[in-house]
């Protein structure tokens, strides 16, 4: 059975990989972090699409049976192009699964979404939620600093909570109608869940795309039986294995070794 | 007279450009911000060198008479390679000028340097300072979050000061011998000077590379007389003119218009 391909701009997608491995424990994975060009979240849709196509091309050349775009920014900008470029395999993003999780969690159908600048500006979450629930109200905010803070390993305590308060108070402490659900619309954000949760009003539910993305993939891909032995992960990055391993371990929730990470070059055209 | 070329990973180098324009008011400049691939400060030396060579190549093709590497990370990793690739024009970095400013400002010759991960890990500031003053003691710290905070426009107040305290207290509030000078070894950091200054002990002097880089360039390049009219700047970026203009205005200290910024592609090989 061919491996499942997963890519992200860096280590954020490891929060999605973790959920995928729980649902597909017998499957092999190839994870690619485009660490040389992260973050995607402050780049234009055209650039993010170009980079995403290069990531997908490399994974397809390695023989994957399906592709998970474990990056909200890439899912928001590049999903259609990725499907056009690779019509023979299922290509799954994290936006629709995140929107499904939000709509399922919300009672009031007033939903807040926090994500990168690019994801918010593109409006993909807003559209995905309204497609699922026409009357839903969506309040969206870009939280760029969360990405750098997660990468720095500052995941809870005074500063992360102060930053969370600055981004979230305008949404949740405003007078009047308050969202009852917060979508973590960037795969970096789940590692900050404690700090974010600490500044949310009681009763607000926090959801992310990880578990629902794994469920979405189940619709298209049959898991390889675990009886054949647990699956393995092949690690690829475009820069700095040491940093990928160090920062990535906290996202993955288990130790990653720099020696296990292969560095690949996406800027040189691949042979066909 | 041909223009002066300046490049940086993004908008940080605008703090250097500002000082250059004060010293060379009659000169034309071409400024290139590699915004598609910023930040450089978390990338490996090999990747930073590759990107820097591409930036320089494009500027040289546009006919510059000298090159200022207005990025500490690129100066630390790529200066020798840039000089080898372009032996016919002066190539100036910001590390040696920053080290000169530090040595001139310090009485105790215990100097602190804050910069990106890549600059600190490479040790270029530590070496440049010790080359100028053999007995100097250098305490260095990476402050990755400062870059994202400066880009987000959070330049002073509670959060920037809390972040500055977390990075700087271990250097300046430790028992015993304390540095008397702090080098802002990243061109993003001068916009955070108020927040950084607010948490420094009294008497500590803050220096950056901008003014001394302009002075260093004067040794190699004769300014074009202002009598011929004030110089103009040609703006180039590799992604997202709107974001470059918005964030760059605060670094440059004057308004920048997105319509004046030309988007260039560095990933396609240039014709020779």
């Amino acid at each position: 059975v061919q491996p499942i391909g997963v890519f992200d701009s860096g280590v954020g997608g490891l929060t999605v990989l973790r959920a995928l491995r729980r649902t597909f424990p017998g499957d092999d994975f190839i994870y690619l972090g485009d660490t040389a060009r992260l973050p995607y979240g402050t780049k234009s849709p055209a650039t993010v699409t170009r980079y995403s196509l290069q990531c997908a091309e490399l994974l397809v050349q390695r023989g994957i049976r399906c592709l998970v775009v474990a990056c909200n920014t890439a899912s928001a900008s590049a999903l259609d192009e990725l499907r056009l470029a690779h019509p023979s395999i299922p290509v799954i993003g994290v936006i629709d699964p995140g929107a499904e999780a939000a709509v399922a969690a919300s009672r009031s159908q007033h939903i807040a979404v926090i994500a990168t600048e690019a994801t918010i500006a593109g409006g993909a979450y807003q559209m995905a939620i309204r497609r699922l629930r026409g009357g839903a109200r969506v309040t969206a905010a870009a939280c760029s600093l969360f990405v750098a803070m997660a990468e720095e390993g500052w995941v809870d305590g005074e500063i992360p909570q102060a930053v969370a308060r600055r981004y979230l108070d305008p949404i949740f402490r405003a007078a009047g109608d308050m969202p009852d659900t917060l979508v973590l619309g960037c795969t970096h954000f789940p590692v900050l869940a404690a700090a974010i949760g600490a500044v949310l009003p009681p009763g607000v539910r926090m959801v992310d795309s990880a578990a629902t993305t794994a469920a979405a993939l189940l619709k298209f891909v049959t898991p390889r039986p675990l009886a054949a032995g647990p699956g393995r992960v092949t690690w690829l990055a475009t820069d700095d294995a040491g940093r990928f391993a160090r920062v990535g371990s906290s996202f993955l929730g288990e130790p990653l070794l720099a020696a296990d990470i292969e560095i690949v070059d996406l800027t040189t055209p691949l042979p066909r």
Side-chain angles (χ1 to χ4, degrees), chain A:
Chain A
V1 181
Q2 290 172 300
I4 297 170
V6 182
F7 82 88
D8 176 47
S9 61
V11 296
L14 296 174
T15 60
V16 177
L17 180 69
R18 182 144 69 149
L20 289 169
R21 290 181 76 191
R22 247 180 261 130
T23 308
F24 296 83
D27 272 276
D28 293 330
F29 287 85
I30 308 182
Y31 182 94
L32 166 61
D34 190 7
T35 46
R37 304 187 292 196
L38 73 83
Y40 282 7
T42 50
K43 297 180 178 34
S44 69
T47 295
V48 170
T49 300
R50 189 153 42 92
Y51 291 176
S52 299
L53 287 168
Q54 291 171 339
C55 289
E57 179 68 23
L58 181 131
L59 290 170
V60 166
Q61 297 252 344
R62 298 237 176 174
I64 54 173
R65 64 175 171 137
C66 61
L67 176 66
V68 178
V69 184
C71 168
N72 283 272
T73 305
S75 298
S77 302
L79 201 60
D80 290 344
E81 298 256 22
L82 288 167
R83 284 175 173 156
L84 281 170
H86 303 287
S88 60
I89 57 169
V91 178
I92 303 278
V94 290
I95 301 273
D96 285 324
E100 274 169 41
V103 167
S106 175
R107 290 178 186 191
S108 68
Q109 300 302 327
H110 181 187
I111 294 165
V113 178
I114 55 173
T116 63
E117 276 181 59
T119 301
I120 296 299
Y125 260 107
Q126 295 92 316
M127 285 183 281
I129 289 170
R130 290 207 195 94
R131 245 194 328 262
L132 291 171
R133 194 66 52 95
R137 213 180 125 199
V138 182
T139 301
C143 300
S144 307
L145 217 60
F146 279 172
V147 176
M149 231 164 44
E151 293 259 338
E152 186 76 333
W154 293 11
V155 296
D156 200 7
E158 180 206 345
I159 292 171
Q161 290 185 22
V163 171
R165 218 173 281 119
R166 175 139 171 194
Y167 282 128
L168 297 175
D169 276 3
I171 302 173
F172 288 102
R173 306 282 170 186
D177 177 28
M178 193 182 80
D180 71 344
T181 301
L182 174 67
V183 183
L184 305 184
C186 169
T187 53
H188 274 83
F189 295 179
V191 299
L192 297 166
I196 294 169
V199 308
L200 286 180
V204 174
R205 298 173 81 173
M206 219 182 329
V207 299
D208 66 57
S209 306
T212 42
T213 298
L217 190 64
L218 263 184
K219 293 178 205 158
F220 300 95
V221 172
T222 309
R224 180 167 166 268
L226 184 54
R232 299 186 53 191
V233 183
T234 301
W235 303 102
L236 310 177
T238 52
D239 196 20
D240 204 339
R243 186 172 201 277
F244 183 95
R246 177 165 47 81
V247 181
S249 298
S250 73
F251 283 76
L252 188 64
E254 57 184 88
L256 250 173
L257 296 177
D260 294 336
I261 299 159
E262 179 189 344
I263 298 299
V264 294
D265 180 8
L266 294 178
T267 59
T268 309
L270 298 162
R272 288 229 68 136

